Amino acid sequence: MRRKLCNIVTASAALLAVACALGPDYQRPKEKIPAAYRFEPAAGNDSFADQGWWQLYQDPTLQSLIREALDNNLDVRIAAARIDQARAILGSTRLQQLPQISASADAQRARTSVGQRIPGVPAISNVFLVDGSLSYEFDFWGKYRRATEARVPGCSLPNTPSRM
């Protein structure tokens, strides 16, 4: 009877472990990256748009305005800020995989009035309290691992290996 019960428990545990398998591993989508940047001379491909198109305008005021607009292009700054934001979100997601540590300390000093004092007990009392905790949540269901793999929608960070 014990052997049969042991076999049933073992089989149930094995079925439970198999039934808890998660979906397929995350696959990063393919990205279409242009071969060259804007204004970068391509080999044998001299497009009219890649040439100094602003030089077609003979007005020096208009040329200076165009030059100023190209120099102060905020698109690159916005893209860099988004990359920094995505890295920060990824870092905070990875921090959830680490143990959580907290500590606190407290000190109190009290003086008992003459009318309430018990004979033999000092008038001044000191109370010291130190408290600490350490907690860790095992990633049994893959919650944090999948969150790290998903990263930030629409952003891909180069040279950031996923941590499992």
Side-chain angles (χ1 to χ4, degrees), residues 11-164:
S12 298
L15 284 174
L16 180 65
V18 172
C20 294
L22 296 173
D25 287 338
Y26 175 77
Q27 298 292 326
R28 183 179 291 200
K30 300 289 183 189
E31 298 175 0
K32 294 181 181 179
I33 300 173
Y37 295 103
R38 185 171 68 164
F39 303 123
E40 182 178 315
N45 189 8
D46 293 333
S47 172
F48 178 72
D50 289 337
Q51 302 303 313
W53 57 267
W54 55 88
Q55 295 172 357
L56 293 174
Y57 303 107
Q58 300 300 320
D59 185 16
T61 307
L62 182 59
Q63 284 185 359
S64 69
L65 288 174
I66 292 172
R67 193 175 307 111
E68 182 180 347
L70 290 174
D71 290 340
N72 297 321
N73 187 355
L74 298 179
D75 290 341
V76 175
R77 291 182 187 159
I78 291 171
R82 285 183 181 156
I83 289 174
D84 290 341
Q85 179 185 14
R87 285 191 174 139
I89 291 171
L90 176 63
S92 68
T93 303
R94 285 186 176 167
L95 281 176
Q96 294 175 356
Q97 297 175 3
L98 299 175
Q100 304 294 318
I101 300 171
S102 66
S104 64
D106 188 24
Q108 295 179 356
R109 185 175 181 123
R111 178 180 209 116
T112 308
S113 67
V114 176
Q116 294 179 345
R117 192 175 320 147
I118 300 171
V121 177
I124 298 175
S125 61
N126 297 318
V127 177
F128 299 102
L129 176 66
V130 176
D131 185 25
S133 69
L134 172 69
S135 65
Y136 181 74
E137 182 177 346
F138 288 103
D139 197 12
F140 187 72
W141 302 108
K143 171 183 170 184
Y144 300 123
R145 184 177 64 239
R146 295 297 181 187
T148 302
E149 288 175 356
R151 297 186 183 174
V152 179
C155 284
S156 63
L157 299 176
N159 302 325
T160 52
S162 65
R163 192 158 119 203
M164 296 203 168

